Amino acid sequence: MSKFAEIGYLVYDKLGLGSDDERFTIDHILYLCGVWRAALIKQYYRDAKRELSSSNYQTICVNLAYNGDCLSGSEMKSVEKIPNFIGIGTDNINIVPMGDRFNNNRWTMVSEDRFNFVGDNKWLRKIIYFTRATDGKLYVKSASPDFKYLQKVKIEGIFEDPAEAAKLACDKDCNPCGDVMEQHFPLEDILVPNLIDIVYSRLANDLYRPEDKKNDADSLSL
């Protein structure tokens, strides 16, 4: 897998930009890489029989705190906002509560609408429910009192904006992964050349478009 820095500079070098050229920054190039990465993944996996590669996933960690605003009975919500998921099904999202207390619990991700109607059944008290609300925060609900002791959760998924997700990236023990540029860009190798070509083509069109030197005022009739 390529790192963020490698992906960005591959496009940068292909455009023939110099170190002092400010027409396109690496941040802008990586933003476009994120946008077209999402499009490529959706296109490549239109066939439901094709198994999603783990190379497309990122793992992030978020902190939980008491939810004073209470969404549908939830008493816990994330401190950080969760980046948007790519939209190819919640089955591809895995949430792992951190802490030995929760080893015997089950957990599931549900839609915000369904979140209103779960978490009150005492016979399902071992289940912890999560939802990503419209405010971008992760909310938590359960009939088990143990869920109130949750302090941190790990989320594995395919996010629309890989750079934003990388800011929250963590290892298996929820330790931060550090510098975004040194992290692996979440795209399987077979799609990387396509991504480079697409982003290069879009930027090259702007870079090498002939300058219109005609003064618009010349076309005005009095």
Side-chain angles (χ1 to χ4, degrees):
M1 290 177 64
S2 301
K3 295 181 179 180
F4 276 83
E6 293 170 344
I7 294 288
Y9 281 106
L10 278 171
V11 177
Y12 196 86
D13 292 342
K14 193 169 183 177
L15 287 167
L17 300 174
S19 59
D20 58 346
D21 196 322
E22 298 181 354
R23 285 174 290 180
F24 299 117
T25 65
I26 289 295
D27 286 343
H28 179 61
I29 290 172
L30 287 175
Y31 166 76
L32 291 179
C33 286
V35 171
W36 286 102
R37 163 190 170 268
L40 277 172
I41 291 174
K42 289 177 182 178
Q43 182 183 46
Y44 191 65
Y45 287 101
R46 282 181 302 184
D47 181 356
K49 296 180 181 179
R50 183 172 278 165
E51 186 177 352
L52 276 162
S53 169
S54 60
S55 301
N56 300 312
Y57 285 78
Q58 287 172 282
T59 301
I60 67 173
C61 290
V62 295
N63 298 291
L64 299 178
Y66 173 70
N67 174 26
D69 299 328
C70 282
L71 171 72
S72 306
S74 167
E75 294 188 38
M76 302 291 291
K77 71 175 180 179
S78 65
V79 175
E80 302 86 0
K81 287 188 176 182
I82 309 299
N84 287 328
F85 295 104
I86 207 168
I88 49 179
T90 55
D91 290 343
N92 300 307
I93 301 168
N94 184 35
I95 295 185
V96 182
M98 302 301 292
D100 295 337
R101 181 188 289 268
F102 310 102
N103 287 342
N104 295 322
N105 288 93
R106 293 164 51 204
W107 46 87
T108 185
M109 187 82 165
V110 298
S111 68
E112 187 173 357
D113 290 339
R114 187 185 169 201
F115 194 72
N116 296 325
F117 307 102
V118 298
D120 299 320
N121 189 330
K122 66 180 181 180
W123 305 110
L124 300 176
R125 61 188 297 124
K126 286 291 184 181
I127 301 179
I128 300 175
Y129 297 92
F130 297 89
T131 193
R132 183 187 182 276
T134 51
D135 64 359
K137 298 293 185 75
L138 186 75
Y139 287 80
V140 191
K141 181 193 280 190
S142 177
S144 169
D146 284 349
F147 90 99
K148 298 178 183 179
Y149 294 95
L150 265 175
Q151 295 182 343
K152 191 179 294 255
V153 295
K154 184 168 61 176
I155 306 169
E156 299 170 346
I158 304 178
F159 301 96
E160 279 191 356
D161 189 334
E164 282 301 308
K167 295 175 183 177
L168 299 173
C170 60
D171 62 17
K172 61 183 180 63
D173 298 316
C174 258
N175 297 313
C177 287
D179 185 5
V180 171
M181 297 295 282
E182 292 301 313
Q183 294 181 36
H184 290 299
F185 189 82
L187 183 66
E188 55 198 284
D189 291 340
I190 195 173
L191 297 179
V192 169
N194 292 350
L195 177 67
I196 300 298
D197 289 342
I198 291 172
V199 176
Y200 165 76
S201 296
R202 296 303 187 277
L203 292 175
N205 285 339
D206 293 333
L207 187 63
Y208 302 116
R209 180 181 296 137
E211 183 180 355
D212 184 4
K213 296 182 179 180
K214 182 178 180 180
N215 191 330
D216 291 338
D218 294 341
S219 63
L220 295 177
S221 57
L222 297 178

